[in-house]
Structures are given as C-alpha cells and as structure tokens.
Amino acid sequence: RNAAVNPSLVEGKKTCGLEIAEQMGPHVPDWVAASVGDGCTIAGTWKGLQEMHALGFIPRLPRMLGVQAEGARPLVDAFEQGRDLVPGPAQTLADSICVGHPRNWRKALRAVRASHGAFVAVPDEAILEAMRETGRLAGVFGEPAGVAGLAGVRPAVARGLVSPRAPPPAVGTRRGLQDAQSASPAAGGAGGPRPARREGGAPL
C-alpha cells in the first residue's frame, strides 16, 4: 500500500477517474475535488481522466481541486508559492491526510498544475461539518479524510475558483467506520482521546 514504492497503487486510484468519465460522459464537470494526503488519489484520478479524454469518452478535461487540512498543508503551500515540496507539520483530526511529507507530491502537484486546477486548505471544523452534511443530505457516513474534498468546495466557491452553479463532484475516499471515533465530535459530542499516530497515514 505504500504510495512511494508501489506504482500500481496509482493505477488502482486511476479507476476513480475512469468511472467519473464513464458516468458523466459529455457532461463531464468543470472541476473534480479530492482530499490529498500523500497525493496518490488525486494523481491517479487525473491519470484516469486523461486516458478517457484521449480515448474520446469525454470532450474535455476537468480541473483538479486538491484539498488538504489546514494543519497539514505542504502541497497547498508548494502550489501557492510555485515551488517544490518543503515538508511541514502535520496536525489534523483527518488521520489519513495527516501527512507532512507526502510520498507522491510530484505527481499530485503535476496533476493540479497540468489541469489548471488549485489547492485549498480547510480547518478541522469544516471537515466535521462536511461529515454532518454528507450524513444529513446524502445518507453517507464518511470519515474526516474521506469528506475533506467536499469540505474544500465551499472555500473554492468563496474564492471564485468554482462556480456555485456547477459544484464539482467530490471524491469520497473512506467510510466513517474506518474512523468511527471522529463521529462523536462531528455529531456534537466530545469524543474520546485520539490515539497517537505515525507520520504519513494511508496513501491518499
């Protein structure tokens, strides 16, 4: 599963781009939002979309919106400053995107830059609100990293990047049962203590 040493992982994540293109066809969205930790998901999704465009399944390519937590935003900073990655701190309740040194950072930056997309960062409070919204409006129980892409749509609209009349699909990467402890604060409870975690997390 390690995104740095297993190139097949990006190929697996690519199926997300294939399915977006297959399902939306000529109505391909202007943007696709995805949470970003190591960068594997957004890089793979972009690769799948590129291949479907080359094969003629979609008439154009969407822009990629990469979303990181405010407490773990090394790719946001690299993108905004037009530079390569400088590892930074990582502190967020979104466990699997709590990554200060992304493994697939080159591919992630390349995907967003090549698509003329953008990166945004969201606070943990916005991620918790996205958990509540997906449950209330769609009946989907997502864990924090899984809904961070959705949380990033609102600031992207506020900044004028994304049209409020054409909200993008947000890639949901993980179900809530993978981090059920976060459900309590999302629902308004205090929740229990969170266990210590290693740097890196799962390859998103």
PDB file of all heavy atoms in Angstrom, residues 32-61:
ATOM      1  N   VAL A  32     -13.099  18.553 -10.390  1.00  0.00           N
ATOM      2  CA  VAL A  32     -13.231  17.364  -9.555  1.00  0.00           C
ATOM      3  C   VAL A  32     -12.427  17.627  -8.285  1.00  0.00           C
ATOM      4  O   VAL A  32     -11.248  17.980  -8.358  1.00  0.00           O
ATOM      5  CB  VAL A  32     -12.708  16.095 -10.253  1.00  0.00           C
ATOM      6  CG1 VAL A  32     -12.678  14.918  -9.283  1.00  0.00           C
ATOM      7  CG2 VAL A  32     -13.570  15.761 -11.464  1.00  0.00           C
ATOM      8  N   ALA A  33     -13.068  17.483  -7.118  1.00  0.00           N
ATOM      9  CA  ALA A  33     -12.409  17.743  -5.841  1.00  0.00           C
ATOM     10  C   ALA A  33     -11.984  16.433  -5.184  1.00  0.00           C
ATOM     11  O   ALA A  33     -12.708  15.441  -5.235  1.00  0.00           O
ATOM     12  CB  ALA A  33     -13.353  18.502  -4.907  1.00  0.00           C
ATOM     13  N   ALA A  34     -10.824  16.455  -4.556  1.00  0.00           N
ATOM     14  CA  ALA A  34     -10.329  15.262  -3.862  1.00  0.00           C
ATOM     15  C   ALA A  34      -9.483  15.679  -2.669  1.00  0.00           C
ATOM     16  O   ALA A  34      -8.711  16.638  -2.753  1.00  0.00           O
ATOM     17  CB  ALA A  34      -9.507  14.388  -4.803  1.00  0.00           C
ATOM     18  N   SER A  35      -9.626  14.956  -1.568  1.00  0.00           N
ATOM     19  CA  SER A  35      -8.747  15.184  -0.428  1.00  0.00           C
ATOM     20  C   SER A  35      -7.342  14.681  -0.783  1.00  0.00           C
ATOM     21  O   SER A  35      -7.182  13.744  -1.565  1.00  0.00           O
ATOM     22  CB  SER A  35      -9.286  14.472   0.807  1.00  0.00           C
ATOM     23  OG  SER A  35      -9.448  13.092   0.552  1.00  0.00           O
ATOM     24  N   VAL A  36      -6.344  15.321  -0.180  1.00  0.00           N
ATOM     25  CA  VAL A  36      -4.954  14.999  -0.528  1.00  0.00           C
ATOM     26  C   VAL A  36      -4.135  14.814   0.736  1.00  0.00           C
ATOM     27  O   VAL A  36      -4.096  15.697   1.605  1.00  0.00           O
ATOM     28  CB  VAL A  36      -4.325  16.116  -1.387  1.00  0.00           C
ATOM     29  CG1 VAL A  36      -2.873  15.772  -1.728  1.00  0.00           C
ATOM     30  CG2 VAL A  36      -5.113  16.323  -2.674  1.00  0.00           C
ATOM     31  N   GLY A  37      -3.509  13.653   0.836  1.00  0.00           N
ATOM     32  CA  GLY A  37      -2.531  13.383   1.875  1.00  0.00           C
ATOM     33  C   GLY A  37      -1.197  13.137   1.204  1.00  0.00           C
ATOM     34  O   GLY A  37      -0.399  14.037   1.010  1.00  0.00           O
ATOM     35  N   ASP A  38      -0.952  11.888   0.811  1.00  0.00           N
ATOM     36  CA  ASP A  38       0.258  11.574   0.056  1.00  0.00           C
ATOM     37  C   ASP A  38       0.183  12.021  -1.399  1.00  0.00           C
ATOM     38  O   ASP A  38       1.211  12.190  -2.045  1.00  0.00           O
ATOM     39  CB  ASP A  38       0.532  10.070   0.102  1.00  0.00           C
ATOM     40  CG  ASP A  38       1.189   9.654   1.403  1.00  0.00           C
ATOM     41  OD1 ASP A  38       2.184  10.282   1.790  1.00  0.00           O
ATOM     42  OD2 ASP A  38       0.704   8.708   2.040  1.00  0.00           O
ATOM     43  N   GLY A  39      -1.019  12.197  -1.938  1.00  0.00           N
ATOM     44  CA  GLY A  39      -1.158  12.670  -3.314  1.00  0.00           C
ATOM     45  C   GLY A  39      -1.505  11.597  -4.314  1.00  0.00           C
ATOM     46  O   GLY A  39      -1.645  11.872  -5.505  1.00  0.00           O
ATOM     47  N   CYS A  40      -1.688  10.373  -3.853  1.00  0.00           N
ATOM     48  CA  CYS A  40      -1.918   9.261  -4.766  1.00  0.00           C
ATOM     49  C   CYS A  40      -3.296   9.316  -5.419  1.00  0.00           C
ATOM     50  O   CYS A  40      -3.440   9.068  -6.615  1.00  0.00           O
ATOM     51  CB  CYS A  40      -1.747   7.953  -4.001  1.00  0.00           C
ATOM     52  SG  CYS A  40      -1.783   6.493  -5.036  1.00  0.00           S
ATOM     53  N   THR A  41      -4.317   9.664  -4.648  1.00  0.00           N
ATOM     54  CA  THR A  41      -5.675   9.664  -5.190  1.00  0.00           C
ATOM     55  C   THR A  41      -5.848  10.719  -6.269  1.00  0.00           C
ATOM     56  O   THR A  41      -6.389  10.439  -7.344  1.00  0.00           O
ATOM     57  CB  THR A  41      -6.701   9.884  -4.064  1.00  0.00           C
ATOM     58  OG1 THR A  41      -6.640   8.785  -3.168  1.00  0.00           O
ATOM     59  CG2 THR A  41      -8.110  10.007  -4.622  1.00  0.00           C
ATOM     60  N   ILE A  42      -5.398  11.937  -6.007  1.00  0.00           N
ATOM     61  CA  ILE A  42      -5.602  12.995  -6.991  1.00  0.00           C
ATOM     62  C   ILE A  42      -4.763  12.745  -8.240  1.00  0.00           C
ATOM     63  O   ILE A  42      -5.215  13.006  -9.359  1.00  0.00           O
ATOM     64  CB  ILE A  42      -5.322  14.385  -6.378  1.00  0.00           C
ATOM     65  CG1 ILE A  42      -5.955  15.467  -7.257  1.00  0.00           C
ATOM     66  CG2 ILE A  42      -3.837  14.625  -6.147  1.00  0.00           C
ATOM     67  CD1 ILE A  42      -6.030  16.831  -6.577  1.00  0.00           C
ATOM     68  N   ALA A  43      -3.564  12.183  -8.063  1.00  0.00           N
ATOM     69  CA  ALA A  43      -2.728  11.866  -9.217  1.00  0.00           C
ATOM     70  C   ALA A  43      -3.353  10.751 -10.055  1.00  0.00           C
ATOM     71  O   ALA A  43      -3.381  10.820 -11.288  1.00  0.00           O
ATOM     72  CB  ALA A  43      -1.330  11.451  -8.754  1.00  0.00           C
ATOM     73  N   GLY A  44      -3.870   9.723  -9.381  1.00  0.00           N
ATOM     74  CA  GLY A  44      -4.488   8.628 -10.113  1.00  0.00           C
ATOM     75  C   GLY A  44      -5.771   9.035 -10.799  1.00  0.00           C
ATOM     76  O   GLY A  44      -6.026   8.635 -11.941  1.00  0.00           O
ATOM     77  N   THR A  45      -6.598   9.838 -10.122  1.00  0.00           N
ATOM     78  CA  THR A  45      -7.840  10.310 -10.730  1.00  0.00           C
ATOM     79  C   THR A  45      -7.551  11.118 -11.981  1.00  0.00           C
ATOM     80  O   THR A  45      -8.203  10.953 -13.021  1.00  0.00           O
ATOM     81  CB  THR A  45      -8.645  11.147  -9.725  1.00  0.00           C
ATOM     82  OG1 THR A  45      -8.933  10.348  -8.571  1.00  0.00           O
ATOM     83  CG2 THR A  45      -9.950  11.635 -10.327  1.00  0.00           C
ATOM     84  N   TRP A  46      -6.571  11.991 -11.908  1.00  0.00           N
ATOM     85  CA  TRP A  46      -6.196  12.805 -13.068  1.00  0.00           C
ATOM     86  C   TRP A  46      -5.700  11.924 -14.213  1.00  0.00           C
ATOM     87  O   TRP A  46      -6.057  12.142 -15.374  1.00  0.00           O
ATOM     88  CB  TRP A  46      -5.122  13.810 -12.660  1.00  0.00           C
ATOM     89  CG  TRP A  46      -4.519  14.594 -13.793  1.00  0.00           C
ATOM     90  CD1 TRP A  46      -3.211  14.601 -14.179  1.00  0.00           C
ATOM     91  CD2 TRP A  46      -5.197  15.504 -14.688  1.00  0.00           C
ATOM     92  NE1 TRP A  46      -3.036  15.440 -15.254  1.00  0.00           N
ATOM     93  CE2 TRP A  46      -4.235  16.013 -15.580  1.00  0.00           C
ATOM     94  CE3 TRP A  46      -6.511  15.923 -14.804  1.00  0.00           C
ATOM     95  CZ2 TRP A  46      -4.548  16.916 -16.586  1.00  0.00           C
ATOM     96  CZ3 TRP A  46      -6.836  16.832 -15.813  1.00  0.00           C
ATOM     97  CH2 TRP A  46      -5.864  17.318 -16.681  1.00  0.00           C
ATOM     98  N   LYS A  47      -4.932  10.896 -13.901  1.00  0.00           N
ATOM     99  CA  LYS A  47      -4.437   9.996 -14.952  1.00  0.00           C
ATOM    100  C   LYS A  47      -5.595   9.287 -15.643  1.00  0.00           C
ATOM    101  O   LYS A  47      -5.620   9.168 -16.877  1.00  0.00           O
ATOM    102  CB  LYS A  47      -3.462   8.978 -14.356  1.00  0.00           C
ATOM    103  CG  LYS A  47      -2.820   8.088 -15.411  1.00  0.00           C
ATOM    104  CD  LYS A  47      -1.759   7.178 -14.808  1.00  0.00           C
ATOM    105  CE  LYS A  47      -1.078   6.373 -15.914  1.00  0.00           C
ATOM    106  NZ  LYS A  47      -0.062   5.436 -15.376  1.00  0.00           N
ATOM    107  N   GLY A  48      -6.573   8.825 -14.855  1.00  0.00           N
ATOM    108  CA  GLY A  48      -7.727   8.169 -15.456  1.00  0.00           C
ATOM    109  C   GLY A  48      -8.522   9.106 -16.348  1.00  0.00           C
ATOM    110  O   GLY A  48      -8.971   8.709 -17.438  1.00  0.00           O
ATOM    111  N   LEU A  49      -8.709  10.333 -15.907  1.00  0.00           N
ATOM    112  CA  LEU A  49      -9.435  11.311 -16.725  1.00  0.00           C
ATOM    113  C   LEU A  49      -8.683  11.617 -18.021  1.00  0.00           C
ATOM    114  O   LEU A  49      -9.295  11.741 -19.090  1.00  0.00           O
ATOM    115  CB  LEU A  49      -9.648  12.592 -15.921  1.00  0.00           C
ATOM    116  CG  LEU A  49     -10.673  12.491 -14.783  1.00  0.00           C
ATOM    117  CD1 LEU A  49     -10.543  13.675 -13.842  1.00  0.00           C
ATOM    118  CD2 LEU A  49     -12.093  12.401 -15.332  1.00  0.00           C
ATOM    119  N   GLN A  50      -7.378  11.728 -17.932  1.00  0.00           N
ATOM    120  CA  GLN A  50      -6.581  11.971 -19.136  1.00  0.00           C
ATOM    121  C   GLN A  50      -6.749  10.840 -20.145  1.00  0.00           C
ATOM    122  O   GLN A  50      -6.886  11.091 -21.357  1.00  0.00           O
ATOM    123  CB  GLN A  50      -5.106  12.101 -18.761  1.00  0.00           C
ATOM    124  CG  GLN A  50      -4.713  13.429 -18.142  1.00  0.00           C
ATOM    125  CD  GLN A  50      -3.221  13.468 -17.865  1.00  0.00           C
ATOM    126  OE1 GLN A  50      -2.685  12.663 -17.096  1.00  0.00           O
ATOM    127  NE2 GLN A  50      -2.544  14.377 -18.510  1.00  0.00           N
ATOM    128  N   GLU A  51      -6.724   9.617 -19.652  1.00  0.00           N
ATOM    129  CA  GLU A  51      -6.839   8.476 -20.565  1.00  0.00           C
ATOM    130  C   GLU A  51      -8.220   8.431 -21.205  1.00  0.00           C
ATOM    131  O   GLU A  51      -8.349   8.143 -22.405  1.00  0.00           O
ATOM    132  CB  GLU A  51      -6.541   7.183 -19.811  1.00  0.00           C
ATOM    133  CG  GLU A  51      -5.087   7.075 -19.396  1.00  0.00           C
ATOM    134  CD  GLU A  51      -4.752   5.757 -18.729  1.00  0.00           C
ATOM    135  OE1 GLU A  51      -5.646   4.889 -18.633  1.00  0.00           O
ATOM    136  OE2 GLU A  51      -3.585   5.583 -18.306  1.00  0.00           O
ATOM    137  N   MET A  52      -9.257   8.722 -20.439  1.00  0.00           N
ATOM    138  CA  MET A  52     -10.609   8.720 -21.005  1.00  0.00           C
ATOM    139  C   MET A  52     -10.799   9.856 -22.004  1.00  0.00           C
ATOM    140  O   MET A  52     -11.542   9.713 -22.985  1.00  0.00           O
ATOM    141  CB  MET A  52     -11.633   8.808 -19.883  1.00  0.00           C
ATOM    142  CG  MET A  52     -11.675   7.563 -18.996  1.00  0.00           C
ATOM    143  SD  MET A  52     -12.194   6.060 -19.876  1.00  0.00           S
ATOM    144  CE  MET A  52     -13.970   6.122 -19.577  1.00  0.00           C
ATOM    145  N   HIS A  53     -10.123  10.963 -21.796  1.00  0.00           N
ATOM    146  CA  HIS A  53     -10.174  12.049 -22.777  1.00  0.00           C
ATOM    147  C   HIS A  53      -9.445  11.651 -24.053  1.00  0.00           C
ATOM    148  O   HIS A  53      -9.935  11.891 -25.169  1.00  0.00           O
ATOM    149  CB  HIS A  53      -9.550  13.314 -22.177  1.00  0.00           C
ATOM    150  CG  HIS A  53      -9.546  14.476 -23.104  1.00  0.00           C
ATOM    151  ND1 HIS A  53      -8.394  14.952 -23.707  1.00  0.00           N
ATOM    152  CD2 HIS A  53     -10.557  15.272 -23.547  1.00  0.00           C
ATOM    153  CE1 HIS A  53      -8.698  15.980 -24.486  1.00  0.00           C
ATOM    154  NE2 HIS A  53     -10.004  16.195 -24.401  1.00  0.00           N
ATOM    155  N   ALA A  54      -8.287  11.023 -23.903  1.00  0.00           N
ATOM    156  CA  ALA A  54      -7.528  10.585 -25.073  1.00  0.00           C
ATOM    157  C   ALA A  54      -8.301   9.553 -25.888  1.00  0.00           C
ATOM    158  O   ALA A  54      -8.194   9.505 -27.122  1.00  0.00           O
ATOM    159  CB  ALA A  54      -6.181  10.006 -24.629  1.00  0.00           C
ATOM    160  N   LEU A  55      -9.119   8.753 -25.208  1.00  0.00           N
ATOM    161  CA  LEU A  55      -9.915   7.730 -25.895  1.00  0.00           C
ATOM    162  C   LEU A  55     -11.237   8.271 -26.441  1.00  0.00           C
ATOM    163  O   LEU A  55     -11.987   7.536 -27.088  1.00  0.00           O
ATOM    164  CB  LEU A  55     -10.198   6.571 -24.938  1.00  0.00           C
ATOM    165  CG  LEU A  55      -8.980   5.732 -24.526  1.00  0.00           C
ATOM    166  CD1 LEU A  55      -9.334   4.801 -23.378  1.00  0.00           C
ATOM    167  CD2 LEU A  55      -8.447   4.945 -25.721  1.00  0.00           C
ATOM    168  N   GLY A  56     -11.543   9.528 -26.155  1.00  0.00           N
ATOM    169  CA  GLY A  56     -12.746  10.151 -26.692  1.00  0.00           C
ATOM    170  C   GLY A  56     -14.000   9.957 -25.870  1.00  0.00           C
ATOM    171  O   GLY A  56     -15.098  10.262 -26.339  1.00  0.00           O
ATOM    172  N   PHE A  57     -13.870   9.451 -24.632  1.00  0.00           N
ATOM    173  CA  PHE A  57     -15.054   9.248 -23.794  1.00  0.00           C
ATOM    174  C   PHE A  57     -15.577  10.564 -23.218  1.00  0.00           C
ATOM    175  O   PHE A  57     -16.763  10.675 -22.907  1.00  0.00           O
ATOM    176  CB  PHE A  57     -14.741   8.271 -22.656  1.00  0.00           C
ATOM    177  CG  PHE A  57     -14.706   6.841 -23.086  1.00  0.00           C
ATOM    178  CD1 PHE A  57     -13.507   6.262 -23.491  1.00  0.00           C
ATOM    179  CD2 PHE A  57     -15.853   6.062 -23.107  1.00  0.00           C
ATOM    180  CE1 PHE A  57     -13.466   4.943 -23.900  1.00  0.00           C
ATOM    181  CE2 PHE A  57     -15.820   4.745 -23.512  1.00  0.00           C
ATOM    182  CZ  PHE A  57     -14.624   4.176 -23.911  1.00  0.00           C
ATOM    183  N   ILE A  58     -14.701  11.545 -23.025  1.00  0.00           N
ATOM    184  CA  ILE A  58     -15.116  12.860 -22.527  1.00  0.00           C
ATOM    185  C   ILE A  58     -14.549  13.925 -23.453  1.00  0.00           C
ATOM    186  O   ILE A  58     -13.448  13.779 -23.988  1.00  0.00           O
ATOM    187  CB  ILE A  58     -14.648  13.098 -21.070  1.00  0.00           C
ATOM    188  CG1 ILE A  58     -13.151  12.846 -20.903  1.00  0.00           C
ATOM    189  CG2 ILE A  58     -15.453  12.237 -20.102  1.00  0.00           C
ATOM    190  CD1 ILE A  58     -12.616  13.159 -19.505  1.00  0.00           C
ATOM    191  N   PRO A  59     -15.300  15.022 -23.670  1.00  0.00           N
ATOM    192  CA  PRO A  59     -14.877  16.023 -24.641  1.00  0.00           C
ATOM    193  C   PRO A  59     -13.787  16.958 -24.138  1.00  0.00           C
ATOM    194  O   PRO A  59     -13.120  17.637 -24.939  1.00  0.00           O
ATOM    195  CB  PRO A  59     -16.173  16.798 -24.914  1.00  0.00           C
ATOM    196  CG  PRO A  59     -16.965  16.662 -23.646  1.00  0.00           C
ATOM    197  CD  PRO A  59     -16.656  15.288 -23.128  1.00  0.00           C
ATOM    198  N   ARG A  60     -13.589  17.033 -22.849  1.00  0.00           N
ATOM    199  CA  ARG A  60     -12.584  17.932 -22.280  1.00  0.00           C
ATOM    200  C   ARG A  60     -12.184  17.407 -20.907  1.00  0.00           C
ATOM    201  O   ARG A  60     -12.815  16.482 -20.373  1.00  0.00           O
ATOM    202  CB  ARG A  60     -13.149  19.345 -22.140  1.00  0.00           C
ATOM    203  CG  ARG A  60     -14.423  19.407 -21.330  1.00  0.00           C
ATOM    204  CD  ARG A  60     -15.042  20.800 -21.278  1.00  0.00           C
ATOM    205  NE  ARG A  60     -16.338  20.767 -20.629  1.00  0.00           N
ATOM    206  CZ  ARG A  60     -16.528  20.698 -19.313  1.00  0.00           C
ATOM    207  NH1 ARG A  60     -15.467  20.683 -18.508  1.00  0.00           N
ATOM    208  NH2 ARG A  60     -17.740  20.655 -18.796  1.00  0.00           N
ATOM    209  N   LEU A  61     -11.153  18.001 -20.369  1.00  0.00           N
ATOM    210  CA  LEU A  61     -10.655  17.581 -19.070  1.00  0.00           C
ATOM    211  C   LEU A  61     -11.091  18.566 -17.989  1.00  0.00           C
ATOM    212  O   LEU A  61     -11.016  19.780 -18.180  1.00  0.00           O
ATOM    213  CB  LEU A  61      -9.124  17.501 -19.086  1.00  0.00           C
ATOM    214  CG  LEU A  61      -8.540  16.300 -19.820  1.00  0.00           C
ATOM    215  CD1 LEU A  61      -7.059  16.501 -20.077  1.00  0.00           C
ATOM    216  CD2 LEU A  61      -8.758  15.020 -18.998  1.00  0.00           C
TER     217      LEU A  61
END
